[in-house]
Amino acid sequence: MHIKPRAIATVLCMIFFIGFAVCGVVRSTDKETSEIRQSYPVLAEAEPVIMADLLMESPDLEPEVKKEPDYPLTQEEIDLIALVTMGEAEGETELGKRLVIDTILNRIDHPSFPNTVYDVVYQPNQFSVMWNSRIDRCYVMPEIVELVKEELLERTNYDCVFFMAGGYSKYGEPLFQECCHYFSSYD
């Protein structure tokens, strides 16, 4: 038995057309749809599905809303740490900024220092930016706010509580230098 190529092409076209009709890709008039359903009973119960409907109803295509984690500090406290960090470490590396943030957070947690952001930052003679008027030229940088939030979730260093530019503080045990700052732990 020899099958002609034209017959194969006709059958394939019909299969292709039926597939598109089932999926609703080929839009047809009500009369054409009725004729197709009469010719192919399996289609009589099938509702046409339109690709746009599939896309709209797919739960996988919903945009994912990322929920902000719960931070142990208020946004105002986070902004204050970011402001002090800009003042103290604006020209420092990202690591240097993180370590300044950690110094503030570590002091809040340490029993020898006040236990609030405000009290730690405004403690007399602690952060030079707070008493040498540099703070007046600083602003809250969004990228430093993000660093503060990241450090709140996982700190880079839990030991540093002192830092100075140019050399180690006379307080604490020297730890390491990062760029222009020298970091120390509590005695």
Side-chain angles (χ1 to χ4, degrees):
M1 177 173 157
H2 180 27
I3 301 175
K4 296 182 179 179
R6 185 175 181 138
I8 293 173
T10 303
V11 171
L12 289 175
C13 284
M14 288 183 69
I15 292 171
F16 186 76
F17 178 76
I18 291 169
F20 271 85
V22 169
C23 292
V25 174
V26 176
R27 297 209 181 237
S28 57
T29 64
D30 289 339
K31 182 179 177 188
E32 290 171 335
T33 302
S34 176
E35 289 171 2
I36 292 170
R37 288 185 177 174
Q38 286 175 3
S39 301
Y40 303 96
V42 74
L43 297 178
E45 297 173 15
E47 286 294 320
V49 177
I50 299 170
M51 292 302 283
D53 292 338
L54 286 174
L55 292 175
M56 293 174 127
E57 293 174 10
S58 176
D60 297 338
L61 296 178
E62 290 292 321
E64 185 177 319
V65 177
K66 187 175 180 183
K67 186 179 180 270
E68 186 85 9
D70 291 328
Y71 298 107
L73 300 177
T74 66
Q75 188 60 50
E76 291 79 19
E77 292 170 317
I78 290 170
D79 289 347
L80 180 56
I81 294 172
L83 185 67
V84 172
T85 303
M86 182 201 184
E88 293 285 355
E90 181 179 15
E92 297 289 316
T93 63
E94 180 181 311
L95 177 58
K97 288 176 179 73
R98 287 180 184 277
L99 292 168
V100 169
I101 294 164
D102 289 347
T103 298
I104 296 169
L105 297 176
N106 292 342
R107 285 184 179 200
I108 293 167
D109 293 344
H110 198 283
S112 298
F113 294 95
N115 63 358
T116 69
V117 172
Y118 183 87
D119 290 341
V120 163
V121 166
Y122 284 98
Q123 189 175 17
N125 302 317
Q126 296 301 306
F127 294 94
S128 63
V129 70
M130 301 309 288
W131 48 267
N132 68 7
S133 76
R134 167 127 170 77
I135 198 72
D136 299 332
R137 297 183 306 276
C138 295
Y139 58 94
V140 176
M141 295 177 68
E143 40 293 353
I144 297 178
V145 168
E146 287 307 309
L147 293 179
V148 174
K149 289 178 176 180
E150 290 172 11
E151 291 302 307
L152 283 168
L153 298 176
E154 186 175 343
R155 284 186 211 169
T156 300
N157 184 289
Y158 285 90
D159 295 325
C160 56
V161 290
F162 301 106
F163 68 89
M164 278 187 57
Y168 288 107
S169 168
K170 62 182 179 180
Y171 303 104
E173 293 293 319
L175 291 173
F176 52 83
Q177 177 187 357
E178 172 58 32
C179 204
C180 296
H181 284 147
Y182 293 78
F183 292 87
S184 302
S185 66
Y186 200 78
D187 289 331

